[in-house]
Amino acid sequence: MLRKSVETRDWLNTIEPRNVRAVMKRVVEDVTAIDSQVGLLYEEGLRKAHSSDSSKRTFPYSSSRQNQRSQWSSYAPSSNMDTSLMSNIQKLFSERIEIFSAVDFSKVSVLTGIIKISLKTFLECVRLRTFARFGLQQIQVDCHYLQMYLWRFVSDENLVHTLLDEIVGSAIHRCLDPVTMEPSVIEVICDRG
């Protein structure tokens, strides 16, 4: 479902996002249904403590490529530092997520596995597309919506945040005109959705 939603859309001619795409709402509905079904079979399982603002977290990508370059210019001899280099440096210091890790016989572990595989699929599909400005902004809206709900189902909410950040970062990297949407506008759209 996620793969088809990315592959069949024309991301270069997308209109300005006004709402969350229906497929993202369906993903949350399906995960909620899976949660209740798996809950009948297995015990809850262990979770890490959640931060109090998990559903209100905004993405770190709130500027264009040019602004990202200027933020790093004081650390490098050239102000035209490539964003792919910055991305690679960030990946070196970020925690590695094991997508296909072992799954325990608990509700949290099963849902964590399903969500990791789903978000990784979403990420790989985004990496194969080219985006215009509004396509990137739609990905931002969709990822924020998923982040608002999916963190509740996993053992470690940072896992969801990291994968969704990678999706948005990949969309920025694959965008022809990378102008991101203001976080306050994204929140308004997601709260309406």
Short mmCIF file of all heavy atoms in Angstrom, two decimals, residues 89-139:
data_model
loop_
_atom_site.label_atom_id
_atom_site.label_comp_id
_atom_site.label_asym_id
_atom_site.label_seq_id
_atom_site.Cartn_x
_atom_site.Cartn_y
_atom_site.Cartn_z
N ILE A 89 27.80 12.21 7.04
CA ILE A 89 28.37 12.47 8.37
C ILE A 89 27.32 12.22 9.44
O ILE A 89 27.60 11.61 10.47
CB ILE A 89 28.94 13.91 8.45
CG1 ILE A 89 30.18 14.02 7.56
CG2 ILE A 89 29.27 14.28 9.89
CD1 ILE A 89 30.70 15.43 7.40
N GLN A 90 26.10 12.68 9.19
CA GLN A 90 25.02 12.48 10.15
C GLN A 90 24.75 10.99 10.35
O GLN A 90 24.53 10.53 11.46
CB GLN A 90 23.76 13.19 9.69
CG GLN A 90 22.61 13.06 10.65
CD GLN A 90 21.35 13.75 10.15
OE1 GLN A 90 21.28 14.20 9.02
NE2 GLN A 90 20.36 13.83 11.01
N LYS A 91 24.78 10.22 9.27
CA LYS A 91 24.54 8.78 9.35
C LYS A 91 25.62 8.08 10.16
O LYS A 91 25.35 7.09 10.85
CB LYS A 91 24.46 8.15 7.96
CG LYS A 91 23.15 8.42 7.26
CD LYS A 91 23.13 7.77 5.91
CE LYS A 91 21.85 8.14 5.17
NZ LYS A 91 21.83 7.57 3.83
N LEU A 92 26.86 8.57 10.08
CA LEU A 92 27.95 7.97 10.84
C LEU A 92 27.70 8.04 12.35
O LEU A 92 28.04 7.13 13.09
CB LEU A 92 29.28 8.68 10.53
CG LEU A 92 29.95 8.32 9.21
CD1 LEU A 92 31.16 9.22 8.99
CD2 LEU A 92 30.35 6.87 9.20
N PHE A 93 27.12 9.17 12.78
CA PHE A 93 26.94 9.37 14.21
C PHE A 93 25.54 9.01 14.71
O PHE A 93 25.29 9.06 15.91
CB PHE A 93 27.26 10.83 14.57
CG PHE A 93 28.70 11.14 14.37
CD1 PHE A 93 29.13 11.86 13.27
CD2 PHE A 93 29.65 10.68 15.26
CE1 PHE A 93 30.47 12.14 13.07
CE2 PHE A 93 30.99 10.95 15.08
CZ PHE A 93 31.41 11.68 13.98
N SER A 94 24.66 8.65 13.82
CA SER A 94 23.33 8.24 14.26
C SER A 94 23.32 6.75 14.59
O SER A 94 24.14 5.98 14.10
CB SER A 94 22.27 8.54 13.19
OG SER A 94 22.49 7.76 12.05
N GLU A 95 22.38 6.38 15.42
CA GLU A 95 22.27 4.98 15.84
C GLU A 95 21.72 4.13 14.70
O GLU A 95 20.75 4.49 14.05
CB GLU A 95 21.33 4.91 17.04
CG GLU A 95 21.30 3.55 17.70
CD GLU A 95 20.42 3.56 18.94
OE1 GLU A 95 20.43 4.56 19.67
OE2 GLU A 95 19.73 2.56 19.15
N ARG A 96 22.36 3.00 14.46
CA ARG A 96 21.94 2.11 13.37
C ARG A 96 20.68 1.35 13.81
O ARG A 96 20.61 0.81 14.90
CB ARG A 96 23.05 1.13 13.06
CG ARG A 96 22.68 0.16 11.97
CD ARG A 96 23.89 -0.40 11.29
NE ARG A 96 23.59 -1.57 10.50
CZ ARG A 96 22.94 -1.57 9.36
NH1 ARG A 96 22.47 -0.43 8.88
NH2 ARG A 96 22.72 -2.68 8.69
N ILE A 97 19.72 1.29 12.91
CA ILE A 97 18.47 0.59 13.20
C ILE A 97 18.49 -0.74 12.46
O ILE A 97 18.67 -0.78 11.25
CB ILE A 97 17.26 1.42 12.76
CG1 ILE A 97 17.20 2.71 13.56
CG2 ILE A 97 15.97 0.63 12.90
CD1 ILE A 97 16.12 3.67 13.11
N GLU A 98 18.31 -1.80 13.19
CA GLU A 98 18.24 -3.14 12.62
C GLU A 98 16.80 -3.37 12.19
O GLU A 98 15.91 -3.58 13.02
CB GLU A 98 18.66 -4.16 13.67
CG GLU A 98 18.77 -5.56 13.15
CD GLU A 98 20.06 -5.82 12.38
OE1 GLU A 98 21.07 -5.17 12.70
OE2 GLU A 98 20.03 -6.66 11.49
N ILE A 99 16.56 -3.33 10.88
CA ILE A 99 15.19 -3.43 10.37
C ILE A 99 14.62 -4.84 10.55
O ILE A 99 13.51 -5.03 11.00
CB ILE A 99 15.12 -3.01 8.88
CG1 ILE A 99 15.60 -1.57 8.69
CG2 ILE A 99 13.71 -3.18 8.32
CD1 ILE A 99 14.79 -0.52 9.41
N PHE A 100 15.40 -5.83 10.20
CA PHE A 100 14.92 -7.21 10.24
C PHE A 100 15.45 -7.94 11.48
O PHE A 100 15.97 -9.04 11.39
CB PHE A 100 15.30 -7.95 8.96
CG PHE A 100 14.70 -7.33 7.74
CD1 PHE A 100 15.48 -6.58 6.88
CD2 PHE A 100 13.36 -7.47 7.45
CE1 PHE A 100 14.93 -5.99 5.75
CE2 PHE A 100 12.80 -6.89 6.32
CZ PHE A 100 13.59 -6.14 5.47
N SER A 101 15.31 -7.31 12.63
CA SER A 101 15.77 -7.92 13.88
C SER A 101 14.78 -8.99 14.34
O SER A 101 13.65 -9.08 13.85
CB SER A 101 15.95 -6.85 14.95
OG SER A 101 14.73 -6.19 15.18
N ALA A 102 15.21 -9.76 15.31
CA ALA A 102 14.36 -10.83 15.86
C ALA A 102 13.12 -10.22 16.52
O ALA A 102 13.19 -9.15 17.13
CB ALA A 102 15.14 -11.64 16.86
N VAL A 103 12.01 -10.92 16.41
CA VAL A 103 10.75 -10.47 17.00
C VAL A 103 10.39 -11.41 18.13
O VAL A 103 10.35 -12.62 17.96
CB VAL A 103 9.62 -10.44 15.94
CG1 VAL A 103 8.29 -10.08 16.56
CG2 VAL A 103 9.97 -9.48 14.82
N ASP A 104 10.13 -10.83 19.31
CA ASP A 104 9.71 -11.62 20.47
C ASP A 104 8.21 -11.88 20.38
O ASP A 104 7.49 -11.26 19.60
CB ASP A 104 10.01 -10.87 21.77
CG ASP A 104 11.49 -10.61 21.95
OD1 ASP A 104 12.29 -11.44 21.48
OD2 ASP A 104 11.83 -9.57 22.54
N PHE A 105 7.74 -12.78 21.24
CA PHE A 105 6.31 -13.08 21.30
C PHE A 105 5.60 -12.11 22.23
O PHE A 105 5.09 -12.47 23.27
CB PHE A 105 6.09 -14.53 21.74
CG PHE A 105 6.59 -15.53 20.74
CD1 PHE A 105 7.73 -16.26 20.98
CD2 PHE A 105 5.91 -15.71 19.54
CE1 PHE A 105 8.20 -17.16 20.05
CE2 PHE A 105 6.37 -16.62 18.60
CZ PHE A 105 7.52 -17.35 18.85
N SER A 106 5.58 -10.82 21.80
CA SER A 106 4.85 -9.80 22.54
C SER A 106 4.24 -8.83 21.54
O SER A 106 4.72 -8.69 20.41
CB SER A 106 5.78 -9.06 23.51
OG SER A 106 6.68 -8.23 22.80
N LYS A 107 3.19 -8.16 21.96
CA LYS A 107 2.48 -7.23 21.08
C LYS A 107 3.40 -6.10 20.61
O LYS A 107 3.44 -5.79 19.41
CB LYS A 107 1.27 -6.66 21.82
CG LYS A 107 0.44 -5.71 20.98
CD LYS A 107 -0.86 -5.34 21.65
CE LYS A 107 -0.64 -4.19 22.58
NZ LYS A 107 -1.89 -3.56 23.02
N VAL A 108 4.16 -5.52 21.52
CA VAL A 108 5.03 -4.40 21.17
C VAL A 108 6.10 -4.83 20.17
O VAL A 108 6.37 -4.12 19.20
CB VAL A 108 5.67 -3.81 22.45
CG1 VAL A 108 6.74 -2.79 22.10
CG2 VAL A 108 4.62 -3.18 23.33
N SER A 109 6.68 -5.99 20.38
CA SER A 109 7.73 -6.48 19.49
C SER A 109 7.20 -6.74 18.09
O SER A 109 7.84 -6.39 17.08
CB SER A 109 8.36 -7.74 20.07
OG SER A 109 9.43 -8.17 19.26
N VAL A 110 6.03 -7.35 17.97
CA VAL A 110 5.43 -7.63 16.67
C VAL A 110 5.12 -6.32 15.94
O VAL A 110 5.45 -6.15 14.76
CB VAL A 110 4.15 -8.49 16.82
CG1 VAL A 110 3.39 -8.58 15.50
CG2 VAL A 110 4.51 -9.88 17.33
N LEU A 111 4.51 -5.37 16.63
CA LEU A 111 4.17 -4.09 16.00
C LEU A 111 5.41 -3.29 15.64
O LEU A 111 5.45 -2.63 14.59
CB LEU A 111 3.25 -3.28 16.90
CG LEU A 111 1.81 -3.79 16.89
CD1 LEU A 111 1.02 -3.29 18.06
CD2 LEU A 111 1.14 -3.41 15.59
N THR A 112 6.44 -3.36 16.48
CA THR A 112 7.69 -2.67 16.16
C THR A 112 8.28 -3.23 14.87
O THR A 112 8.72 -2.47 14.00
CB THR A 112 8.70 -2.81 17.32
OG1 THR A 112 8.15 -2.20 18.49
CG2 THR A 112 10.02 -2.14 16.99
N GLY A 113 8.27 -4.54 14.71
CA GLY A 113 8.77 -5.16 13.49
C GLY A 113 7.99 -4.74 12.27
O GLY A 113 8.57 -4.40 11.22
N ILE A 114 6.67 -4.73 12.38
CA ILE A 114 5.81 -4.33 11.25
C ILE A 114 6.07 -2.87 10.86
O ILE A 114 6.21 -2.54 9.68
CB ILE A 114 4.32 -4.55 11.59
CG1 ILE A 114 4.03 -6.05 11.68
CG2 ILE A 114 3.41 -3.87 10.58
CD1 ILE A 114 2.67 -6.38 12.27
N ILE A 115 6.15 -2.00 11.85
CA ILE A 115 6.34 -0.57 11.58
C ILE A 115 7.73 -0.31 11.01
O ILE A 115 7.88 0.50 10.07
CB ILE A 115 6.05 0.26 12.85
CG1 ILE A 115 4.55 0.22 13.13
CG2 ILE A 115 6.55 1.69 12.70
CD1 ILE A 115 4.13 0.80 14.46
N LYS A 116 8.75 -0.98 11.52
CA LYS A 116 10.10 -0.79 10.97
C LYS A 116 10.16 -1.18 9.50
O LYS A 116 10.70 -0.44 8.67
CB LYS A 116 11.13 -1.63 11.75
CG LYS A 116 11.52 -1.05 13.08
CD LYS A 116 12.76 -1.69 13.66
CE LYS A 116 12.62 -3.16 13.94
NZ LYS A 116 13.76 -3.71 14.70
N ILE A 117 9.60 -2.32 9.16
CA ILE A 117 9.62 -2.78 7.77
C ILE A 117 8.80 -1.84 6.88
O ILE A 117 9.21 -1.50 5.76
CB ILE A 117 9.11 -4.23 7.67
CG1 ILE A 117 10.12 -5.18 8.33
CG2 ILE A 117 8.87 -4.63 6.21
CD1 ILE A 117 9.63 -6.58 8.53
N SER A 118 7.66 -1.38 7.38
CA SER A 118 6.81 -0.46 6.60
C SER A 118 7.51 0.86 6.33
O SER A 118 7.50 1.36 5.19
CB SER A 118 5.50 -0.21 7.33
OG SER A 118 4.79 -1.40 7.51
N LEU A 119 8.11 1.44 7.37
CA LEU A 119 8.78 2.73 7.19
C LEU A 119 10.03 2.60 6.32
O LEU A 119 10.35 3.50 5.54
CB LEU A 119 9.12 3.36 8.54
CG LEU A 119 7.91 3.82 9.37
CD1 LEU A 119 8.37 4.42 10.69
CD2 LEU A 119 7.06 4.81 8.59
N LYS A 120 10.73 1.48 6.43
CA LYS A 120 11.90 1.26 5.58
C LYS A 120 11.46 1.12 4.12
O LYS A 120 12.13 1.64 3.21
CB LYS A 120 12.66 0.00 6.04
CG LYS A 120 13.93 -0.25 5.28
CD LYS A 120 14.96 0.84 5.51
CE LYS A 120 16.28 0.48 4.86
NZ LYS A 120 17.30 1.47 5.10
N THR A 121 10.34 0.47 3.87
CA THR A 121 9.79 0.37 2.51
C THR A 121 9.45 1.77 1.98
O THR A 121 9.78 2.10 0.83
CB THR A 121 8.54 -0.52 2.51
OG1 THR A 121 8.90 -1.82 2.97
CG2 THR A 121 7.91 -0.60 1.13
N PHE A 122 8.80 2.57 2.80
CA PHE A 122 8.45 3.94 2.45
C PHE A 122 9.73 4.71 2.09
O PHE A 122 9.79 5.40 1.07
CB PHE A 122 7.69 4.58 3.61
CG PHE A 122 7.08 5.93 3.34
CD1 PHE A 122 6.81 6.38 2.06
CD2 PHE A 122 6.74 6.75 4.41
CE1 PHE A 122 6.23 7.63 1.83
CE2 PHE A 122 6.15 7.99 4.20
CZ PHE A 122 5.91 8.43 2.91
N LEU A 123 10.76 4.58 2.92
CA LEU A 123 12.03 5.25 2.69
C LEU A 123 12.65 4.85 1.35
O LEU A 123 13.08 5.70 0.57
CB LEU A 123 13.00 4.95 3.84
CG LEU A 123 14.44 5.44 3.66
CD1 LEU A 123 14.50 6.95 3.57
CD2 LEU A 123 15.30 4.95 4.81
N GLU A 124 12.70 3.57 1.08
CA GLU A 124 13.31 3.10 -0.17
C GLU A 124 12.53 3.56 -1.39
O GLU A 124 13.11 3.86 -2.43
CB GLU A 124 13.46 1.58 -0.16
CG GLU A 124 14.45 1.07 0.88
CD GLU A 124 15.83 1.71 0.77
OE1 GLU A 124 16.33 1.94 -0.35
OE2 GLU A 124 16.43 2.00 1.83
N CYS A 125 11.22 3.65 -1.28
CA CYS A 125 10.40 4.16 -2.39
C CYS A 125 10.65 5.64 -2.63
O CYS A 125 10.72 6.09 -3.77
CB CYS A 125 8.92 3.90 -2.13
SG CYS A 125 8.49 2.16 -2.17
N VAL A 126 10.79 6.41 -1.55
CA VAL A 126 11.08 7.84 -1.67
C VAL A 126 12.45 8.05 -2.32
O VAL A 126 12.64 8.94 -3.14
CB VAL A 126 11.01 8.53 -0.28
CG1 VAL A 126 11.64 9.91 -0.30
CG2 VAL A 126 9.56 8.61 0.19
N ARG A 127 13.41 7.20 -1.98
CA ARG A 127 14.76 7.32 -2.55
C ARG A 127 14.78 7.09 -4.06
O ARG A 127 15.73 7.48 -4.73
CB ARG A 127 15.70 6.31 -1.89
CG ARG A 127 16.11 6.74 -0.51
CD ARG A 127 17.13 5.81 0.06
NE ARG A 127 17.56 6.31 1.35
CZ ARG A 127 18.08 5.57 2.30
NH1 ARG A 127 18.28 4.28 2.09
NH2 ARG A 127 18.44 6.10 3.44
N LEU A 128 13.76 6.46 -4.60
CA LEU A 128 13.72 6.18 -6.03
C LEU A 128 12.92 7.21 -6.83
O LEU A 128 12.76 7.07 -8.03
CB LEU A 128 13.12 4.79 -6.27
CG LEU A 128 13.93 3.63 -5.71
CD1 LEU A 128 13.16 2.33 -5.87
CD2 LEU A 128 15.30 3.55 -6.38
N ARG A 129 12.41 8.23 -6.17
CA ARG A 129 11.58 9.24 -6.83
C ARG A 129 12.28 10.59 -6.87
O ARG A 129 13.20 10.87 -6.10
CB ARG A 129 10.25 9.40 -6.08
CG ARG A 129 9.37 8.21 -6.18
CD ARG A 129 8.74 8.20 -7.54
NE ARG A 129 8.14 6.92 -7.82
CZ ARG A 129 8.10 6.40 -9.03
NH1 ARG A 129 8.61 7.03 -10.04
NH2 ARG A 129 7.53 5.25 -9.23
N THR A 130 11.79 11.46 -7.75
CA THR A 130 12.23 12.84 -7.81
C THR A 130 11.02 13.70 -7.44
O THR A 130 9.91 13.43 -7.87
CB THR A 130 12.72 13.21 -9.23
OG1 THR A 130 13.79 12.32 -9.58
CG2 THR A 130 13.22 14.64 -9.28
N PHE A 131 11.26 14.73 -6.64
CA PHE A 131 10.18 15.53 -6.09
C PHE A 131 10.30 16.99 -6.52
O PHE A 131 11.40 17.52 -6.67
CB PHE A 131 10.20 15.48 -4.55
CG PHE A 131 9.97 14.12 -3.99
CD1 PHE A 131 11.03 13.24 -3.79
CD2 PHE A 131 8.70 13.70 -3.66
CE1 PHE A 131 10.82 11.98 -3.28
CE2 PHE A 131 8.47 12.43 -3.16
CZ PHE A 131 9.54 11.57 -2.97
N ALA A 132 9.16 17.64 -6.67
CA ALA A 132 9.10 19.09 -6.78
C ALA A 132 8.83 19.63 -5.37
O ALA A 132 8.69 18.87 -4.42
CB ALA A 132 7.98 19.49 -7.74
N ARG A 133 8.77 20.93 -5.25
CA ARG A 133 8.59 21.55 -3.93
C ARG A 133 7.37 21.02 -3.18
O ARG A 133 7.46 20.63 -2.03
CB ARG A 133 8.44 23.06 -4.09
CG ARG A 133 8.12 23.77 -2.77
CD ARG A 133 7.76 25.21 -2.96
NE ARG A 133 8.82 25.90 -3.67
CZ ARG A 133 8.78 27.18 -3.99
NH1 ARG A 133 7.73 27.90 -3.67
NH2 ARG A 133 9.76 27.75 -4.64
N PHE A 134 6.22 20.97 -3.86
CA PHE A 134 5.00 20.54 -3.19
C PHE A 134 4.99 19.04 -2.91
O PHE A 134 4.35 18.57 -1.97
CB PHE A 134 3.76 20.97 -3.97
CG PHE A 134 3.60 22.46 -4.05
CD1 PHE A 134 3.17 23.07 -5.22
CD2 PHE A 134 3.89 23.27 -2.97
CE1 PHE A 134 3.02 24.44 -5.30
CE2 PHE A 134 3.75 24.65 -3.03
CZ PHE A 134 3.32 25.24 -4.21
N GLY A 135 5.69 18.27 -3.72
CA GLY A 135 5.85 16.85 -3.44
C GLY A 135 6.62 16.62 -2.15
O GLY A 135 6.24 15.81 -1.32
N LEU A 136 7.70 17.38 -1.99
CA LEU A 136 8.48 17.32 -0.75
C LEU A 136 7.62 17.72 0.44
O LEU A 136 7.62 17.05 1.48
CB LEU A 136 9.70 18.26 -0.84
CG LEU A 136 10.40 18.62 0.46
CD1 LEU A 136 11.00 17.38 1.13
CD2 LEU A 136 11.47 19.67 0.23
N GLN A 137 6.86 18.79 0.28
CA GLN A 137 6.02 19.26 1.38
C GLN A 137 4.93 18.25 1.73
O GLN A 137 4.60 18.07 2.90
CB GLN A 137 5.43 20.63 1.04
CG GLN A 137 6.49 21.70 0.99
CD GLN A 137 5.96 23.06 0.57
OE1 GLN A 137 4.78 23.23 0.25
NE2 GLN A 137 6.83 24.06 0.57
N GLN A 138 4.42 17.53 0.74
CA GLN A 138 3.43 16.48 1.02
C GLN A 138 4.07 15.35 1.82
O GLN A 138 3.47 14.81 2.74
CB GLN A 138 2.82 15.95 -0.27
CG GLN A 138 1.72 14.94 -0.04
CD GLN A 138 0.50 15.55 0.64
OE1 GLN A 138 -0.11 16.47 0.09
NE2 GLN A 138 0.13 15.05 1.80
N ILE A 139 5.30 15.00 1.48
CA ILE A 139 6.03 13.97 2.25
C ILE A 139 6.22 14.45 3.69
O ILE A 139 6.06 13.67 4.64
CB ILE A 139 7.39 13.64 1.58
CG1 ILE A 139 7.17 12.94 0.25
CG2 ILE A 139 8.28 12.82 2.51
CD1 ILE A 139 6.63 11.52 0.34
#
